[in-house]
Amino acid sequence: MADVALRDVVKRFDEVEAVRNISLNIPDSEFVVLVGPSGCGKSTTLRMIAGLEEVTEGEILIGGNVVNDVPPKDRDIAMVFQNYALYPHMTVFENMSFGLRLRRTPKAEIRARVEQAAKILDITELLDRRPKQLSGGQRQRVAMGRAIVRNPKVFLFDEPLSNLDAKLRVQMRTEIKRVHQKVKTTTVYVTHDQVEAMTLADRVVVMNGGRIEQIGRPHDLYHRPKTHFVAGFIGSPAMNFLPARLQPNGEALMLRLSPELAFPVPPAHAARYRPSVGKDLIFGLRPEHITEPRGEERDPRYEFSMTVDVIEPMGMETMVFFTVHGKEVCARVEPTAAKPPGQPIRLYANLNHMHLIDPATESVL
Amino acid sequence: MTAAVAEYPRAGGASLKRNRRWALFTSYFFLILFAIFFLTPPYYMIVTSLKSDAEVAHLASNPWIIANGVTLEQYRLLFRETDFLIYFKNTVIVTLCVVTITMVVSVLAAFSLSRMRFWGSGILATGIFLTYLIPDTLLFIPLFQIVRGLGLLNSYWSMVLVYPTLTVPFCTWIMIGYFQSIPKELDEAALIDGAGHMQMLLKIFIPVALPGIIAATIFAFTVSWAAFVYPIAFLFSADQQVLTVGTVTSLIKADVYKWGMLMAGALVAAAPPLIVYAFLMDYYIAGLTAGATKG
Ligand SMILES: Nc1ncnc2c1ncn2[C@@H]1O[C@H](COP(=O)(O)OP(=O)(O)O)[C@@H](O)[C@H]1O
Ligand SMILES: [Mg+2]
């Protein structure tokens, strides 16, 4: 077990700057998820921690030691790859014990450790099979088993669930979390799927274009995104964004979204937003904060009417899409409150959860 | 699902069946045609090698059948009266050395060219293949100078030196292609598991790449077993000669062809490649199908 730290890490492939100055501290036994769109440098970062890519600039520390020049075999890490990378010519037992055999661990201890790991992952009866005789989920378990038998300082996962079907992915997600709670090894997990990131992570690192956009607990990222990118990336369906302006209205502020649509800014936010009056801004509000009018304490000034474009019933609730000033907006309403396309619908915007973004800096105000 | 499948082709069922029968018929027809075409020469060789010289020379007899009794006389003469066994031994030594050298050099070369990105690795890979395109009928002239300079003229060790100039480039080139098809995560997993580069190569990479390596081995074996130009240029005396040139030079005296012994010699010379192919092909095919279902 060990902590991991990245200090001003840069990675360049010839011309391409894949990772641009990343700093990150991961305390012992934490589960950190790197999340971001494809090509943002997540795998490169992970591979630098593993020692599979050289660091162009900066330092990587594992357990307090700079490991920039330490080869992968001496870093005492384990990695699970997206395509599992099981050794096809070995049985499951041989796959899992390969690392221990290289370290000349006594035979009895190897057997004990493999069997214990197999028990944790429920693959005891597969130990004599070859990888090609396993299903996708079983291969995934074996790949994890190969990682945990070695009892390494750090686990690295690179999109380990991307090759599984949706149902299995959810199962294995729980499994990974369960294993981590049991073995408590420091873990760096890479995914492009923000749901996976939110459900697994102690802390999420959102990356974009080779940089870190924000680091935080899942709850914080969801409710207090710091940048336009994070606000749009975290949450499904994604946050609605509309061009907006703030207009002074005596003591209060008005948020104008279109010639027809304007809402008063809740007093709790007003002080913070006052310096931005008159600027072009982007207004962000999550679909679950646009609902049918419900509850007792609602304020009629936040109610409005729209014409339904499309509805998407999800079972527990229904997504209702409508257009404001040429932009599509999504609301999340009770199935009974949904109206068919073309019909008017009465909605309520809960601006207590609103975000305003300065398009010049892309940061949330 | 089975029900749906059973329902579906009923309308066109008859014509499907007919199509299949027609496909089978044409496949068999051409397979048999090719089998006859390719098996005729070996048949002719066997028949001729089992005849007596008198029958071979008798113009009126049918060359396709043995009329005057089967005899192993040709084989006895070949082994006793000629230097055939020396040629055979020389060829075995040369081939074993060449295959070993070729595989060691080209497995390492192909691995580094397919896995490690370094400056000029792409150009190097193409360059290696281009050297293979220069025919040995041109190369033997400058090589003659080199072999003489090294004092290896008229020694079969010169073959061990020159054959790899043919085999290494081609074997490297076909293995680069095969190695690239092996996911690099496999060797990365081994490195992370604690293997050094050599352990990774021996314990993970080579076993997984075996089908490609065997294909290259077969090629190297064939080249050094069957090469003709270099031995005829560099080897003169019988004790250094290899099978291909040796059989021809000792059994064709001016315009006198010892047909029976020539055929016997050719058959014995062809046996080891056949055995090697049969043995390695099993491995080869097993490897190929294992790779296909790895998915
Ligand atoms: N070996 C490489 N050579 C050149 N460019 C690379 C290499 N590996 C990754 N890149 C580039 O670096 C960027 C980040 O890649 P990667 O870390 O794989 O992204 P992610 O895992 O987030 O999808 C991409 O633009 C990719 O094209
Ligand atoms: Mg990636």
Side-chain angles (χ1 to χ4, degrees):
Chain A
M1 298 221 179
D3 55 338
V4 175
L6 280 71
R7 291 191 190 146
D8 302 315
V9 171
V10 174
K11 175 68 190 183
R12 271 188 293 272
F13 295 105
D14 305 322
E15 252 81 297
V16 190
E17 197 162 51
V19 173
R20 314 170 181 215
N21 206 310
I22 279 189
S23 292
L24 179 63
N25 279 309
I26 305 168
D28 190 14
S29 80
E30 189 175 53
F31 197 119
V32 162
V33 176
L34 305 183
V35 68
S38 180
C40 72
K42 312 174 296 277
S43 297
T44 306
T45 308
L46 195 75
R47 291 167 57 81
M48 283 191 288
I49 300 174
L52 297 171
E53 300 281 359
E54 280 177 32
V55 179
T56 312
E57 279 170 34
E59 284 181 337
I60 293 180
L61 293 88
I62 297 176
N65 303 314
V66 177
V67 293
N68 285 31
D69 297 323
V70 178
K73 73 185 176 85
D74 299 324
R75 292 194 184 194
D76 199 9
I77 46 164
M79 184 154 168
V80 177
F81 295 88
Q82 177 173 351
N83 63 3
Y84 318 133
L86 299 178
Y87 312 128
H89 57 301
M90 296 184 183
T91 63
V92 169
F93 183 90
E94 287 163 345
N95 261 280
M96 288 171 68
S97 60
F98 182 66
L100 296 175
R101 281 183 284 141
L102 286 175
R103 286 176 176 72
R104 309 206 176 284
T105 314
K107 274 220 166 62
E109 189 187 338
I110 292 182
R111 180 145 286 282
R113 276 164 75 170
V114 170
E115 275 167 5
Q116 190 199 353
K119 213 162 129 195
I120 292 178
L121 290 161
D122 200 18
I123 50 174
T124 307
E125 68 283 11
L126 305 179
L127 286 176
D128 294 326
R129 297 223 198 140
R130 301 254 164 160
K132 64 169 177 279
Q133 300 165 310
L134 303 177
S135 69
Q138 290 170 331
R139 287 178 202 186
Q140 176 61 59
R141 279 166 206 267
V142 174
M144 277 172 60
R146 190 170 66 182
I148 61 179
V149 278
R150 292 219 341 258
N151 195 14
K153 286 185 192 151
V154 184
F155 282 153
L156 304 173
F157 290 86
D158 193 355
E159 312 235 5
L161 306 183
S162 300
N163 284 0
L164 301 177
D165 61 60
K167 194 172 167 211
L168 206 50
R169 202 177 309 161
V170 174
Q171 270 178 24
M172 287 308 298
R173 203 165 73 196
T174 320
E175 188 84 346
I176 290 176
K177 198 157 190 174
R178 200 168 57 80
V179 169
H180 181 254
Q181 279 162 7
K182 214 171 264 178
V183 299
K184 295 223 168 17
T185 307
T186 314
T187 302
V188 187
Y189 184 106
V190 162
T191 177
H192 64 270
D193 179 353
Q194 54 93 20
V195 179
E196 225 169 274
M198 299 289 278
T199 48
L200 282 171
D202 293 327
R203 273 193 316 156
V204 178
V205 178
V206 184
M207 291 182 63
N208 186 29
R211 290 204 175 77
I212 293 180
E213 290 269 339
Q214 189 172 353
I215 306 176
R217 292 184 302 124
H219 187 84
D220 291 341
L221 289 181
Y222 191 81
H223 293 285
R224 282 185 290 283
K226 284 197 184 128
T227 65
H228 190 179
F229 177 82
V230 175
F233 189 78
I234 301 288
S236 171
M239 187 184 286
N240 299 300
F241 292 116
L242 290 171
R245 260 168 190 276
L246 289 172
Q247 297 171 335
N249 182 15
E251 280 300 288
L253 284 176
M254 284 298 281
L255 179 77
R256 182 151 293 281
L257 299 174
S258 76
E260 306 83 40
L261 197 59
F263 299 111
V265 174
H269 294 298
R272 183 155 44 106
Y273 291 154
R274 191 164 294 279
S276 307
V277 169
K279 286 193 205 160
D280 283 324
L281 298 170
I282 297 168
F283 164 72
L285 192 62
R286 294 197 184 277
E288 59 264 43
H289 301 131
I290 309 174
T291 59
E292 77 284 358
R294 55 168 89 135
E296 299 294 294
E297 293 161 31
R298 63 175 196 256
D299 184 337
R301 292 177 301 163
Y302 295 107
E303 281 184 34
F304 60 104
S305 284
M306 280 292 155
T307 309
V308 176
D309 285 341
V310 177
I311 58 168
E312 288 180 359
M314 311 279 285
M316 251 167 47
E317 61 222 333
T318 296
M319 303 297 158
V320 174
F321 293 87
F322 55 93
T323 317
V324 175
H325 219 57
K327 290 250 179 192
E328 185 172 79
V329 176
C330 173
R332 230 164 142 159
V333 303
E334 288 285 326
T336 49
K339 295 280 178 12
Q343 301 243 330
I345 186 170
R346 196 80 189 140
L347 293 166
Y348 183 87
N350 186 347
L351 287 211
N352 289 323
H353 299 281
M354 69 179 276
H355 301 280
L356 280 180
I357 295 150
D358 181 350
T361 61
E362 289 281 302
S363 57
V364 175
L365 298 175
Chain B
M1 204 184 113
T2 36
V5 169
E7 292 292 299
Y8 174 68
R10 191 150 295 165
S15 91
L16 264 185
K17 216 175 239 174
R18 204 162 10 170
N19 274 344
R20 186 177 146 70
R21 200 172 303 152
W22 177 239
L24 271 178
F25 174 75
T26 43
S27 326
Y28 275 118
F29 178 76
F30 282 105
L31 281 174
I32 290 170
L33 205 66
F34 275 109
I36 292 173
F37 184 74
F38 284 113
L39 289 178
T40 305
Y43 170 77
Y44 198 89
M45 286 159 71
I46 295 175
V47 166
T48 309
S49 75
L50 294 174
K51 290 178 182 178
S52 64
D53 272 342
E55 188 181 349
V56 173
H58 190 57
L59 286 177
S61 72
N62 182 347
W64 295 100
I65 53 169
I66 306 170
N68 295 357
V70 173
T71 168
L72 289 177
E73 183 65 10
Q74 306 290 2
Y75 290 89
R76 196 185 65 79
L77 286 174
L78 184 70
F79 293 144
R80 293 273 166 79
E81 309 291 316
T82 72
D83 292 327
F84 186 82
L85 289 178
I86 296 177
Y87 308 150
F88 196 95
K89 182 203 75 183
N90 292 349
T91 296
V92 168
I93 294 173
V94 168
T95 301
L96 285 181
C97 293
V98 169
V99 168
T100 311
I101 293 172
T102 304
M103 293 326 290
V104 170
V105 173
S106 45
V107 164
L108 292 176
F111 180 78
S112 46
L113 286 171
S114 63
R115 278 299 199 264
M116 302 176 190
R117 287 171 301 128
F118 51 88
W119 190 87
S121 56
I123 296 167
L124 209 56
T126 317
I128 283 176
F129 182 62
L130 287 181
T131 65
Y132 175 69
L133 296 180
I134 304 170
D136 48 2
T137 40
L138 276 180
L139 270 180
F140 84 90
I141 301 166
L143 274 174
F144 191 90
Q145 296 287 345
I146 296 171
V147 169
R148 187 171 57 188
L150 292 170
L152 288 175
L153 222 46
N154 196 26
S155 154
Y156 60 71
W157 292 109
S158 64
M159 299 298 109
V160 176
L161 184 74
V162 297
Y163 287 164
T165 63
L166 291 172
T167 53
V168 167
F170 190 76
C171 290
T172 306
W173 185 70
I174 52 172
M175 283 194 291
I176 287 175
Y178 193 82
F179 288 5
Q180 276 169 346
S181 73
I182 297 172
K184 74 175 184 332
E185 285 86 351
L186 220 51
D187 15 317
E188 290 176 347
L191 292 181
I192 287 178
D193 256 347
H197 272 89
M198 217 56 214
Q199 281 171 313
M200 177 264 283
L201 201 64
L202 293 176
K203 292 190 172 156
I204 304 296
F205 194 82
I206 289 179
V208 173
L210 210 53
I213 293 174
I214 283 175
T217 309
I218 289 178
F219 175 83
F221 181 88
T222 309
V223 164
S224 49
W225 192 268
F228 198 84
V229 173
Y230 289 149
I232 206 167
F234 301 155
L235 304 177
F236 322 125
S237 58
D239 66 322
Q240 297 295 323
Q241 201 49 273
V242 294
L243 264 179
T244 45
V245 176
T247 313
V248 171
T249 51
S250 60
L251 297 177
I252 305 175
K253 297 293 182 210
D255 58 349
V256 180
Y257 287 70
K258 310 221 167 184
W259 281 120
M261 271 197 272
L262 271 172
M263 292 303 142
L267 272 177
V268 176
L274 265 180
I275 293 166
V276 168
Y277 291 3
F279 172 72
L280 289 183
M281 270 302 165
D282 269 356
Y283 258 108
Y284 187 43
I285 304 233
L288 281 185
T289 47
T293 54
K294 196 179 69 196

